[in-house]
Amino acid sequence: MATEANSARITGKVQGRDITLEGRLSKDEIRDRVWWWRIPDPGSSKEQEDHGHEYDGSRRDVIATLGGYYEVPGDPDAPGAGELLETMYAELNPDE
């Protein structure tokens, strides 16, 4: 996927993995990339390695957006996760 030089970019550290979200992503794509250990990406070469990964709550998982830093809940269905997803979606898709 090509992205423009001025496209939105969100970075984070989740479960010890650096993640970067760029350009226009759907809510499902964002969810899959942020909560990668819960929802394996079927196209990922790391699918087998990540499958069965258990969440380690001893680390602080964070996402950096234009609005600030947000802690990533361990469960994509947890209170606050939906709000974080909406924030990231709005930042990555500013024209919608």
Side-chain angles (χ1 to χ4, degrees):
M1 172 173 76
T3 57
E4 298 177 19
N6 61 352
S7 66
R9 179 179 178 156
I10 295 174
T11 59
K13 183 95 166 173
V14 180
Q15 287 290 297
R17 182 188 287 180
D18 292 323
I19 61 169
T20 301
L21 307 172
E22 292 183 279
R24 299 179 128 358
L25 296 175
S26 71
K27 290 179 184 179
D28 286 336
E29 290 171 319
I30 295 168
R31 189 178 298 110
D32 288 351
R33 291 184 188 181
V34 173
W35 288 278
W36 58 268
W37 72 96
R38 299 281 308 234
I39 308 167
D41 179 3
S44 172
S45 62
K46 293 182 64 77
E47 181 182 6
Q48 277 189 324
E49 179 183 324
D50 294 340
H51 185 71
H53 180 88
E54 291 189 28
Y55 179 72
D56 177 5
S58 67
R59 294 184 229 168
R60 193 161 187 211
D61 300 325
V62 295
I63 294 288
T65 70
L66 291 174
Y69 290 92
Y70 297 91
E71 191 163 350
V72 177
D75 183 347
D77 297 319
E83 202 171 302
L84 176 59
L85 179 64
E86 291 294 330
T87 298
M88 290 186 288
Y89 180 79
E91 189 169 311
L92 292 170
N93 300 282
D95 298 336
E96 293 184 21

